[in-house]
Amino acid sequence: MKDIDIIPSTLKEAVEKISELPGYGEKSAKRFAVNLLDMPRGEAIQIIKTLFDMLEKIHPCSECGLYTEEEICSICSSEERDRSVICVVEETFDAFAIEKTGKFKGVYHVIGGRLSPLEGITAEDLNIEKLVERVDKNGVKEIILATNPTVEGEATASYIHNLLKDRDVIISRIAYGLPFGAVLENADDFTLSKALEHKTII
Amino acid sequence: MKDIDIIPSTLKEAVEKISELPGYGEKSAKRFAVNLLDMPRGEAIQIIKTLFDMLEKIHPCSECGLYTEEEICSICSSEERDRSVICVVEETFDAFAIEKTGKFKGVYHVIGGRLSPLEGITAEDLNIEKLVERVDKNGVKEIILATNPTVEGEATASYIHNLLKDRDVIISRIAYGLPFGAVLENADDFTLSKALEHKTII
């Protein structure tokens, strides 16, 4: 008598598959699968169909790598964007966050991750070669490195900086400083010293 | 010029749909969708197909409510299980957890949630009527109330207890006590007083 083997095989498979997603363990994968089963079946199927639809239609923009439903994304194909300024981000949603500020009028380049020796992610795994190509071909004047302010994001920015520094292009890095609403007492030393170093006269 | 509207519509829809799942906010839904897009497309489609397959094949056992691929689940249809003892649980995975212990040889009844006035979940929303039917029809001798040891699980157990207490059936509640590996100092008062109250002579 097998007591444990009462979990239906398709549920087991679903849990295994979801566990493959970054950030998911067995518990959260179970929760996801059971939440789907607990919903009215029609609604659950609608969720799955929407995901399927997304996977069928969305791919990286062939120019900049942003996720888009077109061959070329709406930013790369816009007449109003300045193609001589490229903002380099790790992922599509980083670009969406910058777009929300409304402060950037250039174009993007999504490298699709960050250098991470621990996870075995090297420069070859990232969309960096294409960035160099764009710089060489399109009369680019400025590159803003907007990878995340983390150890890995910093290493990635510095790798790209080295790669491009001999070209006739201004390379900048987004500013470190205190985030709005932060408490000085709780800020880490690095952030606080950068906030002092880059103080602005008022 | 609409700066913000660069998110592809199928990605937006996917994020909205996933946000409908309990425990998901916009951020975690985004993460889920982008993680799928970031995977090799074939693997991502495989995950979605597995979920679809699960939704097509799995439904609640018509007897006890456990999720199963059959009409009657493997426990209800097993000759080796004691149908006179019913263990009442909130959800399928609670039963799976009990099965793992190998200590229970009766059958289950999944009520599909817990009473929750705050979330508007009443007794009518739960699979309780069928439990009363089973007790009346099948010569049930014992009911073990194994709803979660939470305020809501407790209220649900007490509701079912009231419903069945005039019938000729033993009704028990799973024991409260300290979990294995717990630190006394950190235990809450309720758990600790229950652990003392139900001390066992050694």
Side-chain angles (χ1 to χ4, degrees):
Chain A
M1 179 169 153
K2 275 195 209 152
D3 293 279
I4 309 177
D5 227 15
I6 59 161
I7 306 179
S9 62
T10 52
L11 177 51
K12 246 188 242 171
E13 271 167 47
V15 171
E16 263 168 42
K17 282 284 171 204
I18 299 170
S19 307
E20 289 173 13
L21 284 167
Y24 277 78
E26 201 199 330
K27 238 183 185 152
S28 46
K30 260 186 196 175
R31 190 50 37 219
F32 187 86
V34 168
N35 279 338
L36 273 181
L37 288 169
D38 284 347
M39 295 181 99
R41 205 47 56 103
E43 283 176 36
I45 286 175
Q46 207 45 55
I47 293 181
I48 299 307
K49 280 196 176 146
T50 308
L51 289 173
F52 200 79
D53 207 31
M54 174 190 85
L55 288 173
E56 269 196 331
K57 289 196 185 146
I58 293 186
H59 51 260
C61 166
S62 62
E63 185 64 15
C64 73
L66 273 180
Y67 282 131
T68 176
E69 287 171 11
E70 318 297 328
E71 167 68 18
I72 302 282
C73 77
S74 58
I75 292 183
C76 285
S77 58
S78 164
E79 288 299 315
E80 303 178 58
R81 308 296 293 232
D82 181 355
R83 281 170 188 66
S84 73
V85 185
I86 296 180
C87 178
V88 177
V89 292
E90 293 181 16
E91 294 181 36
T92 285
F93 272 105
D94 300 331
F96 294 166
I98 293 173
E99 277 304 287
K100 253 183 162 168
T101 68
K103 298 287 186 198
F104 182 65
K105 303 298 176 203
V107 292
Y108 292 96
H109 189 88
V110 181
I111 54 171
R114 61 218 65 86
L115 294 177
S116 173
L118 281 175
E119 294 170 70
I121 299 170
T122 65
E124 283 76 50
D125 301 312
L126 302 176
N127 184 24
I128 291 178
E129 209 171 305
K130 168 88 187 169
L131 172 66
V132 180
E133 243 176 64
R134 284 178 81 187
V135 171
D136 286 343
K137 262 200 332 207
N138 300 344
V140 172
K141 290 184 194 132
E142 187 180 351
I143 298 281
I144 303 169
L145 298 170
T147 51
N148 283 321
T150 59
V151 173
E152 289 163 345
E154 209 49 49
T156 311
S158 134
Y159 177 87
I160 297 173
H161 177 229
N162 274 326
L163 214 60
L164 296 174
K165 70 179 177 210
D166 295 331
R167 282 167 174 85
D168 185 22
V169 60
I170 298 165
I171 305 175
S172 62
R173 176 87 175 103
I174 47 165
Y176 274 100
L178 290 166
F180 185 73
V183 179
L184 246 79
E185 192 186 346
N186 301 335
D188 64 287
D189 290 352
F190 180 78
T191 302
L192 204 49
S193 55
K194 286 289 177 185
L196 285 168
E197 192 180 323
H198 300 296
K199 66 183 187 288
T200 50
I201 311 285
I202 51 172
Chain B
M1 182 167 153
K2 274 195 210 152
D3 293 280
I4 308 177
D5 226 16
I6 59 161
I7 306 178
S9 62
T10 52
L11 177 51
K12 246 189 239 170
E13 270 166 49
V15 170
E16 263 167 41
K17 282 285 170 205
I18 298 170
S19 306
E20 289 172 14
L21 284 167
Y24 278 77
E26 201 198 329
K27 235 182 187 152
S28 46
K30 259 185 195 175
R31 189 51 37 220
F32 187 87
V34 169
N35 279 339
L36 274 181
L37 288 170
D38 284 347
M39 296 181 97
R41 205 46 56 101
E43 281 176 38
I45 286 175
Q46 207 44 55
I47 293 181
I48 299 307
K49 280 197 175 144
T50 308
L51 289 173
F52 201 78
D53 207 30
M54 174 190 85
L55 288 173
E56 269 198 330
K57 289 195 184 148
I58 294 186
H59 52 260
C61 166
S62 61
E63 186 64 15
C64 73
L66 272 179
Y67 283 131
T68 175
E69 288 171 10
E70 319 296 329
E71 167 67 17
I72 301 282
C73 76
S74 58
I75 292 183
C76 285
S77 59
S78 163
E79 287 300 316
E80 304 178 57
R81 307 296 291 233
D82 181 355
R83 282 170 188 66
S84 73
V85 185
I86 296 180
C87 178
V88 177
V89 292
E90 293 180 17
E91 294 181 35
T92 286
F93 272 105
D94 300 332
F96 293 166
I98 294 173
E99 276 303 287
K100 251 182 164 169
T101 69
K103 298 288 186 198
F104 181 66
K105 302 298 175 204
V107 292
Y108 292 96
H109 189 87
V110 182
I111 55 171
R114 61 218 67 84
L115 293 177
S116 172
L118 281 175
E119 294 169 71
I121 300 171
T122 65
E124 284 76 50
D125 300 314
L126 302 175
N127 184 25
I128 292 178
E129 210 172 305
K130 170 86 185 170
L131 172 66
V132 180
E133 244 176 64
R134 285 177 81 189
V135 171
D136 286 343
K137 262 200 331 207
N138 301 343
V140 172
K141 290 185 194 129
E142 188 179 352
I143 299 280
I144 303 169
L145 298 170
T147 51
N148 284 321
T150 58
V151 173
E152 290 165 344
E154 208 50 48
T156 310
S158 134
Y159 177 86
I160 298 173
H161 177 231
N162 275 326
L163 214 59
L164 296 174
K165 70 177 177 215
D166 295 331
R167 282 166 174 87
D168 186 22
V169 60
I170 300 165
I171 305 176
S172 61
R173 175 89 176 102
I174 47 162
Y176 274 101
L178 290 164
F180 185 74
V183 179
L184 247 77
E185 192 186 345
N186 301 335
D188 63 288
D189 291 351
F190 180 79
T191 302
L192 203 50
S193 54
K194 286 289 176 184
L196 285 168
E197 192 180 324
H198 299 296
K199 66 185 187 289
T200 51
I201 311 285
I202 52 171

